[in-house]
Amino acid sequence: MGGNFAERERQTNRLVRAVAAWLFSQKHIQPVQLFGLVWLTWTTASHVNEDTYVRSVKIPALGQIFGRDYSRSNLAEAAQDVSRQMADAKVEALVMGETGFSNIYNAYRNSSFDWMRAHFRKVLPIAKAAYHLKSDVQGRSLAERIDDLPQIRKPDQPSVLCIRPVCSRH
């Protein structure tokens, strides 16, 4: 992986927006698919190890979004299949590119899916609104809606709530 973090952020944005366009055009969206879309933004602590990142983040995320088992596929095979499903040849290069910028704290990686499933009816409209965001005013409104969502619980400490950098006890 290269050291150009800004380009990796832009590449992640292009991939996520392309996949979101496809996903949001589907008649029925499942929580696992939306979670997969978020998962595509993740990175790993050792992002320099491309194989670890691809195997633990990118391929599973794509599998969740597209309802496929890519666990025995390499990235090129997954990229070709995703491109075919989306009927967009340009997507293959997006999937193959360096992506991932959000290093979600490991303690929340597994519990975040349960949170997504529990709050899916609130999160999906927020995600769609974010995709169609046109102004800073809309962005601030979305930030307020996100702030009103329940926090993700740490799996090993159910009384500690945390999704933001600061945790609180409830």
Side-chain angles (χ1 to χ4, degrees), residues 38-108:
V38 172
W39 199 352
L40 275 181
T41 68
W42 293 4
T43 188
T44 57
S46 60
H47 197 94
V48 292
N49 184 338
E50 177 69 13
D51 190 54
T52 299
Y53 165 71
V54 167
R55 288 271 154 226
S56 67
V57 176
K58 192 178 264 188
I59 286 179
L62 292 168
Q64 295 300 322
I65 296 164
F66 293 97
R68 302 277 216 223
D69 180 4
Y70 294 129
S71 63
R72 298 186 193 277
S73 303
N74 63 37
L75 186 58
E77 293 165 336
Q80 289 172 350
D81 186 65
V82 166
S83 181
R84 274 193 302 273
Q85 284 193 71
M86 290 179 59
D88 185 347
K90 293 179 263 179
V91 171
E92 187 173 342
L94 293 175
V95 171
M96 293 299 296
E98 292 183 23
T99 57
F101 60 82
S102 175
N103 193 8
I104 186 170
Y105 183 58
N106 285 343
Y108 300 105

